[in-house]
Amino acid sequence: MRGIRTAFDVVIPAGTALLTAWVVLGTSQHGHLVTASAALSALACGAALWWRRRHPVAVMGVALAGGLVVQVVAPMTVFPLAALFAVGALAAARPPLVSLPALALLLGVVSLNFRTTTDEDTFFVMAVAALSWLLGENRRGATARAAERAVAEEQARMARELHDVIAHGVSVIVVQAAAADDVFDHRPDRARESLRAIEATGRATLDELRKLLGGPAERPGLDRLADLVEPLRAAGLRVDVRCEPVPLPAGVDQSAYRIVQEALTNTLRHARASRVEVSVRGGPGVLELEVRDDGRGGLVGVGRGIPGMRERAVLLGGTVEAGPLPDGGFGVRARLPLAAAR
């Protein structure tokens, strides 16, 4: 697509300049000096189109001025061709408050041909000018909508990241605090261990939030599973991890980490579990994740946890299933395709 655009960036200015200058030289009824000046003006208008995307207002002004000169010298056969392209580029880059006055000026220049050409020809060129403006305005609107969608998607991504980081960190801290309270009187050493774990979890959560809010940073991945489950083990939860090393695209790696993180957070908050199993394995073109616990689970569809996991999977073309297990406990299973994320 970029190659096509580059070709048009060369063809449109060069073709417009040469065509308009050739017609002026062949049809002008004025002297050599006036005709040569008009031809140079046509060349300048066409050449200016090279900058129509970077400087649309200035190019529109040059095209209108040069078009007016050409109209006066050879009005019977030449229309302001450069201005027809320039008004479309201006409409694509600027709001109607700027582009509509330029269109009105262009229509005024074209209307000079009513004196020397048929009304049908002049009205046709006016229609082409209006169409060029409409196409440019439509492109500007599409670009604006795409930018709005990109902003909304980034906001949603940040919301998911913040939810996962904060929910997991707070859940671990709550569990550790409860454990410290249980043993505070008769096992102060265990209480101190829980307090140290609370401090470590809080620092890690703050550090991740700073990286997340501060801009681009290293994305967490499955290689950090050990750091993820260690606070849970310190809180008394038995965590078994089986992870097959699989080369992963960065987007899949991060989403897989967040899905496991959120599943473990749900176990801490809702399951009242004593044991949880985490399984990560690669299949043909797909990464399979499974988190199973022996607790009672929570309500599927309540809160942001499970919907957030599903959103992450859907963005990659994958799926997440969550619910009570037939033999008791609660499970989360995700399938994330690898090819779609490369």
Side-chain angles (χ1 to χ4, degrees):
M1 184 65 183
R2 185 173 182 178
I4 295 175
R5 176 174 292 182
T6 302
F8 273 112
D9 285 341
V10 174
V11 171
I12 289 176
T16 300
L18 294 175
L19 176 62
T20 309
W22 178 72
V23 174
V24 167
L25 292 173
T27 61
S28 174
Q29 303 296 321
H30 298 272
H32 296 302
L33 182 60
V34 174
T35 300
S37 299
L40 289 175
S41 178
L43 288 172
C45 289
L49 292 176
W50 176 265
W51 295 278
R52 67 189 184 280
R53 291 192 179 96
R54 284 177 289 176
H55 306 288
V57 176
V59 170
M60 188 70 215
V62 171
L64 284 173
L68 181 61
V69 172
V70 171
Q71 293 290 87
V72 171
V73 175
M76 295 185 65
T77 55
V78 178
F79 291 100
L81 185 58
L84 297 180
F85 287 109
V87 74
L90 179 62
R94 298 290 187 271
L97 187 64
V98 176
S99 62
L100 275 176
L103 174 63
L105 289 173
L106 174 56
L107 294 177
V109 172
V110 174
S111 68
L112 296 176
N113 285 280
F114 279 123
R115 299 178 293 106
T116 55
T117 62
T118 64
D119 292 349
E120 291 80 2
D121 290 342
T122 303
F123 280 126
F124 174 76
V125 177
M126 286 183 166
V128 171
L131 178 61
S132 179
W133 180 88
L134 284 172
L135 291 174
E137 174 62 20
N138 182 69
R139 181 179 176 185
R140 186 189 67 83
T143 302
R145 289 189 294 272
E148 290 173 358
R149 284 195 300 271
V151 170
E153 290 172 359
E154 178 63 14
Q155 290 174 340
R157 185 193 69 81
M158 288 292 294
R160 286 192 298 269
E161 294 289 320
L162 288 172
H163 171 273
D164 292 350
V165 171
I166 294 173
H168 182 77
V170 172
S171 296
V172 172
I173 288 172
V174 169
V175 171
Q176 291 282 10
D181 184 62
D182 290 340
V183 300
F184 188 81
D185 293 327
H186 58 281
R187 291 292 303 275
D189 56 326
R190 293 288 301 278
R192 280 193 291 271
E193 289 178 6
S194 295
L195 292 174
R196 284 193 289 269
I198 289 174
E199 179 186 10
T201 301
R203 290 182 183 277
T205 302
L206 287 174
D207 184 57
E208 193 162 0
L209 286 174
R210 290 191 187 100
K211 291 179 180 179
L212 180 62
L213 299 176
E218 181 182 355
R219 294 183 174 186
L222 292 177
D223 59 334
R224 289 178 52 184
L225 273 184
D227 297 335
L228 184 63
V229 302
E230 188 58 35
L232 280 68
R233 288 171 174 161
L237 184 65
R238 180 179 174 183
V239 184
D240 296 326
V241 178
R242 295 191 301 274
C243 183
E244 299 178 1
V246 180
L248 298 174
V252 174
D253 197 19
Q254 182 185 22
S255 293
Y257 174 88
R258 292 302 189 197
I259 289 172
V260 173
Q261 182 184 51
E262 184 56 36
L264 293 174
T265 300
N266 285 346
T267 296
L268 284 174
R269 295 173 62 185
H270 306 300
R272 297 181 182 175
S274 62
R275 178 178 178 178
V276 60
E277 298 178 355
V278 178
S279 174
V280 179
R281 57 186 178 273
V286 68
L287 179 70
E288 296 183 351
L289 310 170
E290 191 170 11
V291 180
R292 302 163 57 98
D293 62 54
D294 61 355
R296 61 177 179 82
L299 296 176
V300 178
V302 176
R304 285 291 305 160
I306 293 174
M309 287 188 279
R310 286 178 174 150
E311 287 175 5
R312 288 184 181 278
V314 168
L315 288 175
L316 297 172
T319 59
V320 167
E321 299 174 357
L325 299 172
D327 55 349
F330 195 85
V332 174
R333 185 177 182 183
R335 290 175 56 87
L336 306 178
L338 304 182
R342 292 189 185 276

